[in-house]
Amino acid sequence: MPDAYSATIEKYWCQRYILFSRFDDGVNMDEEGWFSVTPEVIAHYQASRCASGTVIDCFTGVGGNAIQFAQRCNHVIAIDIDPSKIGFARHNAAIYRVDDLIDFIVGDFFVLAPKLKADTVFLSPPWGGPDYAKVETYDMKTMLRPHDGYTLFNVAKEIASRVVMFLPRNVNFNQLAELSLSACPPWSLEVEKVHLNGKLKAVTAYFSRPPVGGC
Ligand code: ADP
């Protein structure tokens, strides 16, 4: 491991090819990226499930998901509030030769949201740091940042007919059901437990607007 990395990265360094299979081609990220990037095999699978039309990756980080979406979808919009994250995402996308298939935007998703339209909104929002693993049940009302899960879902469902959320493994499933039922008419919900190397890693929730009907 290069000396420039802090000791806390050591655990993640061993997983570098799980995070990015092309790591040795020059993948680069900051410390937060190491903790929060979606492992490539998971991002690849999520992209296969979202494969069509326009996808917006609303909290792009260093680009793990956006790179995989670009290999499957017609158009990808990658948003992050932190310009340096977008810099890393663009650099990493170039390594996978998909940088010209992604529109990178530096901005606050919640400010941009009213102007966005897409087929799928993908949300891998800040989980609130590593403390999520210290509680038995992750509460989307109080632990998600910068806004709760309800605000996030309500904003996202105005943009697309499919909303995909990547959430902590201990997320409260009743709250996910509450979200889908809060829409009018209720949206369908599919929850997937994501295992990596035999360990439950996270949960992906797929919400879809029903094709017909109203309230
Ligand atoms: P985690 O808790 O999963 O480590 P982070 O704090 O790393 O989450 O946040 C995930 C990404 O979301 C970061 O790249 C961060 O810059 C970005 N982000 C945070 N708030 C916003 C926002 N309002 N709009 C767009 N991107 C955001």
Side-chain angles (χ1 to χ4, degrees):
M1 190 175 85
D3 291 342
Y5 289 130
S6 76
T8 44
I9 298 300
E10 207 166 328
K11 167 178 156 204
Y12 298 92
W13 177 255
C14 308
Q15 300 171 12
R16 59 198 182 281
Y17 301 116
I18 292 175
L19 302 182
F20 287 101
S21 61
R22 296 195 195 168
F23 187 87
D24 286 348
D25 293 341
V27 165
N28 202 0
M29 57 193 146
D30 58 5
E31 194 155 319
E32 207 176 65
W34 281 97
F35 303 137
S36 53
V37 67
T38 308
E40 184 168 303
V41 67
I42 298 175
H44 181 82
Y45 172 75
Q46 290 168 329
S48 74
R49 296 248 7 217
C50 300
S52 73
T54 299
V55 176
I56 306 179
D57 182 3
C58 306
F59 303 90
T60 287
V62 299
N65 282 105
I67 288 168
Q68 297 301 320
F69 287 137
Q71 296 177 27
R72 292 296 195 115
C73 305
N74 299 340
H75 183 204
V76 181
I77 299 172
I79 299 171
D80 203 287
I81 201 163
D82 178 352
S84 74
K85 289 287 194 308
I86 289 293
F88 287 122
R90 196 191 293 275
H91 168 88
N92 294 331
I95 288 170
Y96 283 76
R97 301 189 192 285
V98 292
D99 50 325
D100 53 352
L101 302 177
I102 303 172
D103 285 328
F104 293 97
I105 301 179
V106 176
D108 182 334
F109 165 63
F110 296 95
V111 173
L112 296 168
K115 297 190 181 124
L116 299 171
K117 281 288 167 225
D119 298 288
T120 302
V121 168
F122 179 81
L123 305 155
S124 180
W127 292 358
D131 281 357
Y132 78 85
K134 294 185 186 154
V135 295
E136 194 177 327
T137 308
Y138 184 88
D139 184 352
M140 290 172 67
K141 281 187 184 148
T142 56
M143 299 182 78
L144 269 183
R145 299 281 177 270
H147 296 293
D148 65 88
Y150 294 76
T151 305
L152 201 55
F153 179 67
N154 283 327
V155 170
K157 77 183 186 2
E158 297 306 314
I159 300 173
S161 58
R162 180 162 54 180
V163 173
V164 181
M165 286 185 175
F166 192 47
L167 295 164
R169 59 181 179 260
N170 52 347
V171 69
N172 183 339
F173 281 21
N174 288 334
Q175 289 186 336
L176 293 175
E178 252 180 52
L179 284 189
S180 64
L181 294 171
S182 70
C184 188
W187 283 32
S188 69
L189 166 65
E190 186 184 339
V191 178
E192 241 171 25
K193 288 183 173 177
V194 182
H195 290 81
L196 190 63
N197 297 331
K199 281 194 190 147
L200 179 59
K201 180 92 185 149
V203 161
T204 314
Y206 301 85
F207 299 90
S208 300
R209 184 192 295 151
V212 285
C215 286

